[in-house]
Each structure stands twice: as C-alpha cells, then as structure tokens.
Amino acid sequence: MENGRHASEASVAESIATANSGRRRESVESAHVEVAEPQRPTLFRKQTLRGQSHRSISEALRLARSREEQETLLGEEEQADDDGCYPPRRDDRPRVENRRLPVYTTIHRIRQLIIASIDDPYSTEQLKSPRMNISVIRPLVDYLYDPDDVSVVYCLLVNRVQFLREQSYQAHHQTVNNTRATVCELIAARVLRRLDEDHEGRHGLLLLANVLVAGFEPFQNAPPEVTRGHQIHLHWTIRDHFWRPDSERMLTALEVAIVTESKSFLSTSACQKIVDAVYRGRITYTPTSFIDILPDHYKNRGISLYDPRKAPLLNQYRLIVPRIRNIIEGVQFAVLLVLYVLVMVNKANSYGPDHLRFTMYELVFIVYAMGWVLDEVASVFEHGWTVHTENLAFCLIFWTYFGIRMHGLATNDGSISKLALDVLALGAPVLLPRMAFCIMPENMLFISLRAMMADFTFLTLLAAWCFGGFLFAMRWLSESQDGSNAHHPLTIAKWMLWIWFGLDGTGVQRSVEMHWLLGPTLMITFAFLGNTLFLTILVAMLSNTYMMLAQNATAEIQFRRAVLTFEGVKSDALFAYRPPFNVLALFVLLPLKLAVSDRWFHKINVTAVRVLNAPILLLISLHDRRYLWNRSRYLAPPRKHTWLTIWERFGAHGDLQAVFEAEPPQSVLDEMDDVDEVLGANDYDAPGGYVDALKRRRGSRSVYSGIEGNGNGAWSRSMSRAGTGFGREVSQGGVRRRSTRDFETGSTTAVGEDFTLPSADAT
C-alpha cells in the first residue's frame, strides 16, 4: 500500500506539471511576438585550430625544441658575414627593409575596425572574459593576423596612442576611448603571440624582431595627396646628412609601446623573448634615433642574429649592446662618484685665497664630468625627453658649478669660488641615491619610488598653489596703517611651512599680531587643511600608488626592463668613446666628418674606437664566444662542469637539478605515448578517451567500478572492506558520498563528500 500511495502521488504531480507547462506555453505564445534575430556582419575567420584547448605532447616538445634552438648558437649551415651577422649582408649599402608595406592604410583600417567594434566602455577584466573574447577579440585577431605584414602590431599601437590622446580632450568619450586603446593593446599582444607560435626556430626569432624593433613611418605608402598635405619640413640634421635618410621619422613598435606604457603587451612572453635577446646582444640592429651628434651610418646593419665565432676579435659594435652598455655606464658613474667625493673631501676649508687654486682632484673631476655630462646629453638626443630623463639634475648642478667657478677665477674672487663649491655640494643627494638605482634598476622598491615621487611632486605643487592664498591674506593683514609690514612674507611662509609639517606652532601664537580675530582664524584653518587634510590625502594617494604597482609587480619590472633595453641600444658613434675621450672625439671628428667622405670617416672612427677600447673589446669578445649563446643538448656535447656547478651539486638537493640536465632515452619516451590520448580526449568514457588511457597505463580494469552501470555518467572507485560494509560509497547525483552503516540498526549515514570527475555531457 505504501508503494501504491507513492506511485499515485507521483502520477498526480506529473499530470499537474504537464498542465502547468501547457498553460505557460500558451500564455507565452499569446503574449509575445517572435521576431527573427537580425544577422550581424561577421569578420572573415581563418580556418585554424585555435579553438582547441590542448596540445599534444609532440607539439609541446616541438615548441620546447624551437625555444631551445632560438637560444643556441648558429649551426654550421647558417653562415654569418664578416661582422658576425646572420643573415649576411650583400654589400655595404644600408638595408631598406619593410618599405613596401601599406602602413598608412593599415593604420586607418584598424581604426575603423576598433571604432565599429567597441562603442561601450568595458573594463580590462570584461574584455578578457570568454564572451568578449569570442565575439570581439578573436575575430579581430583572425582578421588582422598576417605573417607577411610585420607592421600590424606597430599600427595597432599607433592607434592606441591616438585613442589615449582623444580621451584627454573628449570628456564624453573618455571611457570608450580608453577601452578602445586597451583593445588595441590586447589584439597586438594576441597577434604577436600567434606569430611566435606559428614561426619556430631562428627564423621565427628574426620575424618577431622585425615586428618589434624594425622602423616604420606613419605615412609610409600613403597616397600622394595625403603626403603633400602633411609634409613636414626636414630638420637641419636630415638636410645636412646628419640623419639617415631611410629612417626619417621612423619609430619602432617597441618604442611606441614604451611611450604609451603598454605594460600588458610588453610583459608577454613573445615580447620579453625579443627584449631579452636584444638586451644580451643575440639580436643586433642599427636603431632609429632622434638626433645623432656624431653620426656614422656608412654600415647600417639590419636586424640580424650575432655569431661571435665569425665576428672580429675587436668588434666595436658590441659597445652598444644594452647589457654591456649598462655595465659600462655603472662603472663610469662609480668613477664619477669617487672623483666627486675626493673633490669635496680635499677642498679648502678656510675661507680665503685657497679657493682660487685648482687641486688635482678638481681638475680631473671637471674633465671627466664634462665627458659624462656629454654622454647624458647625447642619450637625451638619441631617444628624446620622454624616455631618458635621468641624471639631468646633476647635469644642471655641474654646469651651474662650472660657470660660477670660472667666473670666480676670472674675477679673482675667492667668495665666488667658495659659492661654486657650495653649489657642487648639492650634488650629493642626487649622486648617492642614483648609485643604488644603477645597482638595482629592476628592484620593485625603486620602481615604486619613481612613481610615488611623481605623485608627491604633483600634489605638493598643487597644494602650494592653493595655499598661496593664505600667504597673501596674512601678508595683507600684517600691514599697518602707514603701509609698513609687521612681518615679512618669508617669515610668514616659514611659519606656515612649520605648521604644514607639524614642527612648530609659532605661527598660531604670532598670528594675533596680524589681527586679533582674523589672524588666528586663518592660521588655524590652514593648520587643519594643510597638516591634517593634505597629509591624509598624500598618504592615501601614495599608498594607493604603491598597492597598484605591487599588484602588477611582474608587469612593472618587465616594463622597466624593456625601457632599459630600448635606451641601451645606441646609434650615435659618440657612445663608443669613454669619458673624457668623447669630448675629444666631438671636437676632432665632427669637423673631420665635413672634410672627408663617409667611407674614410667610418675607417677613422672604427680605428680610433678599437684603439681606445681595445682591453674592453677583448674581454667582451672572449665572454661572447663562451657565454652568449647556450649549447644545445641535441646538437653539441654538454659543457664540462665548472667549480661553481660542482659546488652547487654538493649537498642534499644536488640531484634535483641534475635530473633535468640529461634528455630521457627513447625507452622512457615510449612509455609516455598515452599522454597524447589523455590530453586529446574529448570524452572521459569514450573509446580511446581518458578512462581507456588510464586502463592501459595502470593495466587493470578492476579498479574502475560503476562506469558502465552509472546512469549519470559519473565513475567511482569502491574502497569498501570486503564483508564488513564499512566505508561503502554511495553515488548520488554524480557525487560520491562516503557512508557508514550502523551494525545494530542497519541505517546508512553520509559523513562526507569526495570528488568525482563529471561526465562527458556535463563538461
């Protein structure tokens, strides 16, 4: 009877549910009018295998071998030229690369696509969501991806510049333009990643290098009417052949990404691969520059791989490699700092005629500092003010000191010479912290200090501007009836500064001398706004800046690395001379360039550089031949273990590193043949799927129970003890529940849940 009652109730419930569903369907059909969904235009999609979410083990091994090949030395069949460059140059004429690409047309085509695709503001997380990725980002990537056009990434970043510029003066489209700029960055990163995946080996490395560091012009291959309408008058450096004609107004994609702070793009693995190769000197090229003080472009090298075995022993081009350049600049700055300390320690302490005499330390410091300042000015001319703005404070201090010092010697005035040394003393707060920045340029603390100093300076200037009204008000209140001032404006400013930083309250006490009521009212109001409100806002702003940088620490460090790499590649011949020889080269070789041909000037310049830098070039050549490229485990025998490697292996954890040094034999690889089936299976319990692969690998069918009998497609493994009933697992709705049976009552109680793989339908 109990079973019959349950059956009748189930039939009644089923009939009621059927009736209700019928009434709901009739009401919906009567209340709504069905309208066909309009067809939306779709972009052309290439037939690729991008939709797959897995790779086979053979594909993964192929990519790993490709990455290793990109970090190993060139093979015997890949012959470099006499400068160690691959592919070799045909002649000494400058290379003109990528001049046929329709850059102007691509820029405007991308702009129209982005504007048509994005008309609402979205956050970065929303743009990276699966829905936006499938409907917007991936179709645009498929449409714009073209392996034969290496300017697409550059054009995307140029459009990002324009959208960021438009958001600054179009308030009603600010968030939309910001979203469009972010979309350009995301698409550029996806296109670069696809180029990296589709092109392997050293040729793929050269292709990525052409995408990032090859120069392009925004008006390249534009129609003649457009070119005539936007023709810019040539600078005197171009007109007088001080600038390369083929690089006129050229910019690289890496430079545009740095200027727009595209940190997400710069932190991608493909971009960092090229940045690291350029930083180490594996990829060499002649960069574009803003102004060259001492140009030597007789041999304009294109983008190529560097083979130290074929290069000359004294290769002057290695002096512009970013890593070598950073080491040399660090040594030069250390020498400058030592000379500066020697000058300040040995200066005249007693006031008088001693300040009119030059010490040997001061003379050497002035000569060396002139060359160092010239190197910094040349760096600004090379890449512009936006990229290179460091050390300019000490340059200003040095030239102020030098001018005052020369004026004191000319007028034979010891007091002016004493003033010059006092001005030079202001360089200590600039030089000593700068040494720490040179030693640890990628430290997160120093990276955050740069950003926080910018926020602190901006907020301080804004507060000084706003609080200037209090200074004028109290200055006018302190005027007496005859027009004289009881307190000087500098004295009032000093009181306000002490209150601002909470040092002293003298201003509040003396404010009654200005006016018995208005004076204290103004000073106390300023104390509340300046010492309480301003400092609270300042601390909150700096904390927010540091928190945002700390959350994206990896992207910030990689962005800083890209900046150091970009500004480390130099094209000016002046950087090949060490201070103070660069000053001598400027006054000797620059007039000589106007008197001789480009070929003879190149020969004279190369000879002078090799003679003056012979020890440095010899050390660089020996280091590059041994450590620049990695040795392939497949193409060359392993290196002998050095004493440092032996010391690292001496210990309890030495085998953890040694197990990965040798490639597994073929017998071990044959045992992993089922990995492809596991990664490539779409159904867990389908033939040849995940379960069959596990059966073959474990060699047992008994451990899998309930696969065929489970109606919901879940699988479970019974861990029950035979004959006891303890620990029996009950499958309910695809979830395994471990149960215990009470031996006296026979009841079953679920005491926990365990994880089971879902069925193929559920996935």
Side-chain angles (χ1 to χ4, degrees):
M1 293 179 64
E2 185 71 12
N3 295 333
R5 185 175 60 85
H6 287 300
S8 60
E9 290 178 356
S11 60
V12 172
E14 182 179 358
S15 60
I16 294 175
T18 304
N20 290 336
S21 62
R23 284 194 297 268
R24 284 196 299 266
R25 184 166 53 253
E26 292 175 359
S27 61
V28 169
E29 292 175 353
S30 61
H32 298 279
V33 178
E34 294 184 358
V35 180
E37 183 179 358
Q39 296 183 355
R40 298 183 180 180
T42 57
L43 298 175
F44 171 73
R45 293 192 180 187
K46 298 181 180 181
Q47 298 297 328
T48 61
L49 298 177
R50 300 288 172 181
Q52 296 182 0
S53 60
H54 59 82
R55 292 195 185 101
S56 62
I57 188 64
S58 58
E59 179 73 10
L61 291 176
R62 184 187 64 82
L63 294 177
R65 288 175 179 266
S66 175
R67 287 191 297 268
E68 183 177 357
E69 182 185 355
Q70 293 175 353
E71 297 179 358
T72 54
L73 194 61
L74 296 176
E76 295 296 335
E77 70 281 358
E78 298 167 326
Q79 296 295 329
D81 56 19
D82 54 353
D83 286 333
C85 297
Y86 175 82
R89 68 179 188 277
R90 298 182 179 90
D91 48 36
D92 290 337
R93 290 180 298 178
R95 293 184 182 178
V96 181
E97 301 174 347
N98 306 324
R99 301 295 295 177
R100 298 181 179 179
L101 296 178
V103 177
Y104 179 81
T105 305
T106 305
I107 289 176
H108 287 277
R109 184 174 76 249
I110 291 175
R111 178 175 176 81
Q112 297 299 326
L113 286 173
I114 299 299
I115 293 177
S117 302
I118 302 296
D119 52 3
D120 292 320
Y122 298 98
S123 63
T124 305
E125 291 74 14
Q126 290 175 333
L127 291 175
K128 293 181 179 180
S129 63
R131 183 178 64 86
M132 292 295 296
N133 180 42
I134 295 175
S135 60
V136 178
I137 303 299
R138 184 179 295 177
L140 290 175
V141 172
D142 293 337
Y143 180 77
L144 295 175
Y145 174 73
D146 186 3
D148 298 329
D149 190 354
V150 295
S151 66
V152 173
V153 174
Y154 168 81
C155 298
L156 284 166
L157 295 175
V158 169
N159 278 276
R160 172 176 167 81
V161 174
Q162 181 62 21
F163 286 130
L164 291 177
R165 178 176 173 269
E166 290 177 355
Q167 79 162 1
S168 61
Y169 61 87
Q170 292 183 359
H172 59 289
H173 286 300
Q174 182 173 2
T175 54
V176 176
N177 287 324
N178 191 18
T179 303
R180 290 168 178 169
T182 306
V183 169
C184 291
E185 182 182 3
L186 291 176
I187 296 176
R190 297 285 184 89
V191 171
L192 188 66
R193 175 186 175 184
R194 185 170 295 186
L195 287 171
D196 183 27
E197 293 177 349
D198 293 348
H199 300 82
E200 58 184 16
R202 300 183 184 91
H203 294 284
L205 192 65
L206 285 173
L207 177 64
L208 292 181
N210 277 275
V211 171
L212 289 177
V213 298
F216 301 99
E217 296 180 20
F219 288 93
Q220 181 174 321
N221 292 324
E225 58 273 12
V226 175
T227 306
R228 288 192 300 266
H230 297 82
Q231 183 67 34
I232 302 176
H233 296 289
L234 298 181
H235 197 268
W236 66 270
T237 56
I238 306 174
R239 185 180 62 251
D240 298 336
H241 302 286
F242 277 81
W243 202 357
R244 294 182 300 276
D246 60 301
S247 63
E248 176 186 342
R249 296 187 297 274
M250 274 192 174
L251 294 175
T252 64
L254 182 63
E255 182 178 0
V256 178
I258 291 174
V259 172
T260 57
E261 296 186 358
S262 303
K263 299 177 181 179
S264 177
F265 172 80
L266 292 172
S267 62
T268 57
S269 59
C271 185
Q272 285 298 312
K273 180 193 300 183
I274 301 301
V275 169
D276 183 72
V278 173
Y279 179 78
R280 295 175 180 272
R282 296 173 178 172
I283 294 177
T284 60
Y285 66 99
T286 301
T288 59
S289 60
F290 182 61
I291 294 177
D292 288 340
I293 299 178
L294 188 64
D296 181 14
H297 307 307
Y298 179 72
K299 284 186 178 181
N300 184 10
R301 299 181 304 163
I303 300 173
S304 56
L305 300 179
Y306 179 70
D307 188 355
R309 301 172 303 178
K310 305 296 182 180
L313 190 62
L314 300 179
N315 189 1
Q316 73 280 1
Y317 294 111
R318 302 305 291 173
L319 293 174
I320 64 173
V321 172
R323 181 172 65 174
I324 300 173
R325 177 72 186 173
N326 290 339
I327 296 174
I328 293 176
E329 286 182 351
V331 174
Q332 292 176 177
F333 187 82
V335 173
L336 178 71
L337 183 60
V338 171
L339 292 176
Y340 172 80
V341 173
L342 291 176
V343 169
M344 300 308 297
V345 170
N346 294 278
K347 69 177 182 178
N349 295 323
S350 60
Y351 178 77
D354 293 339
H355 290 92
L356 297 176
R357 292 197 299 266
F358 261 110
T359 62
M360 182 58 65
Y361 296 113
E362 188 175 4
L363 181 60
V364 174
F365 169 75
I366 289 178
V367 174
Y368 188 85
M370 281 186 176
W372 188 84
V373 171
L374 178 61
D375 191 89
E376 294 299 317
V377 173
S379 298
V380 174
F381 287 164
E382 180 87 8
H383 300 296
W385 296 88
T386 306
V387 177
H388 192 93
T389 56
E390 300 174 352
N391 302 323
L392 296 181
F394 182 76
C395 295
L396 179 62
I397 293 173
F398 172 77
W399 285 116
T400 305
Y401 149 78
F402 184 75
I404 298 175
R405 183 65 165 159
M406 294 299 104
H407 178 68
L409 294 177
T411 58
N412 199 21
D413 191 347
S415 61
I416 297 180
S417 298
K418 173 67 168 57
L419 177 62
L421 293 175
D422 293 340
V423 172
L424 186 61
L426 299 178
V430 178
L431 292 179
L432 292 178
R434 177 60 193 159
M435 190 64 192
F437 280 86
C438 290
I439 297 176
M440 297 178 290
E442 298 179 0
N443 187 276
M444 191 59 203
L445 177 61
F446 294 121
I447 293 176
S448 59
L449 279 178
R450 298 174 189 271
M452 289 192 293
M453 283 297 296
D455 294 341
F456 176 79
T457 303
F458 172 76
L459 189 58
T460 302
L461 293 177
L462 183 62
W465 181 17
C466 297
F467 292 150
F470 287 89
L471 176 61
F472 285 111
M474 285 183 280
R475 187 259 182 193
W476 291 327
L477 283 177
S478 62
E479 292 181 353
S480 59
Q481 294 181 356
D482 56 357
S484 61
N485 290 326
H487 302 287
H488 196 272
L490 293 180
T491 304
I492 300 175
K494 180 181 64 175
W495 292 341
M496 295 176 63
L497 186 63
W498 288 349
I499 293 176
W500 194 349
F501 291 103
L503 302 177
D504 191 13
T506 305
V508 179
Q509 299 176 0
R510 302 289 297 274
S511 61
V512 295
E513 301 176 4
M514 307 174 191
H515 191 275
W516 67 274
L517 177 61
L518 300 180
T521 302
L522 283 176
M523 195 63 75
I524 293 175
T525 303
F526 170 76
F528 273 107
L529 295 178
N531 184 261
T532 304
L533 180 62
F534 170 76
L535 292 182
T536 303
I537 295 175
L538 179 62
V539 171
M541 178 181 292
L542 297 183
S543 301
N544 184 47
T545 301
Y546 182 79
M547 182 183 64
M548 293 177 60
L549 293 176
Q551 290 177 351
N552 302 318
T554 303
E556 295 292 338
I557 293 174
Q558 291 174 345
F559 173 74
R560 182 61 187 168
R561 184 179 303 165
V563 173
L564 293 176
T565 302
F566 172 72
E567 68 180 13
V569 183
K570 310 292 186 181
S571 66
D572 198 337
L574 197 64
F575 294 105
Y577 297 91
R578 310 276 70 79
F581 296 106
N582 54 353
V583 179
L584 183 63
L586 178 65
F587 287 103
V588 174
L589 295 181
L590 189 58
L592 185 63
K593 181 177 176 57
L594 304 176
V596 299
S597 62
D598 292 341
R599 181 171 178 268
W600 275 104
F601 178 79
H602 175 73
K603 288 185 175 181
I604 296 172
N605 178 51
V606 170
T607 303
V609 170
R610 290 181 176 180
V611 169
L612 294 176
N613 298 277
I616 301 176
L617 293 177
L618 183 60
L619 292 176
I620 293 173
S621 179
L622 295 177
H623 176 273
D624 288 346
R625 292 168 187 264
R626 185 172 180 83
Y627 298 107
L628 179 61
W629 295 91
N630 299 331
R631 290 195 177 186
S632 176
R633 293 181 294 180
Y634 311 103
L635 304 178
R639 286 198 184 107
K640 296 181 179 180
H641 299 298
T642 61
W643 65 271
L644 182 59
T645 307
I646 297 175
W647 175 258
E648 291 178 351
R649 288 191 174 185
F650 181 75
H653 308 99
D655 292 340
L656 299 181
Q657 179 182 358
V659 71
F660 295 102
E661 293 183 356
E663 187 69 17
Q666 187 63 35
S667 59
V668 178
L669 296 177
D670 294 339
E671 295 180 2
M672 299 186 294
D673 56 351
D674 60 339
V675 178
D676 288 344
E677 301 173 357
V678 174
L679 295 177
N682 295 323
D683 297 329
Y684 288 103
D685 53 355
Y690 180 74
V691 175
D692 286 349
L694 289 181
K695 289 178 181 179
R696 289 192 301 272
R697 179 165 63 88
R698 298 186 180 182
S700 174
R701 291 177 175 268
S702 60
V703 296
Y704 302 98
S705 62
I707 298 177
E708 294 82 358
N710 248 348
N712 51 20
W715 63 280
S716 61
R717 180 180 179 181
S718 176
M719 299 294 294
S720 61
R721 299 182 180 179
T724 60
F726 181 81
R728 186 173 59 87
E729 295 181 355
V730 181
S731 177
Q732 297 179 359
V735 178
R736 292 188 303 167
R737 294 182 178 272
R738 186 180 304 160
S739 61
T740 59
R741 176 176 296 275
D742 193 343
F743 291 98
E744 296 181 359
T745 62
S747 61
T748 303
T749 306
V751 296
E753 296 183 4
D754 201 355
F755 173 78
T756 59
L757 289 178
S759 63
D761 297 334
T763 57

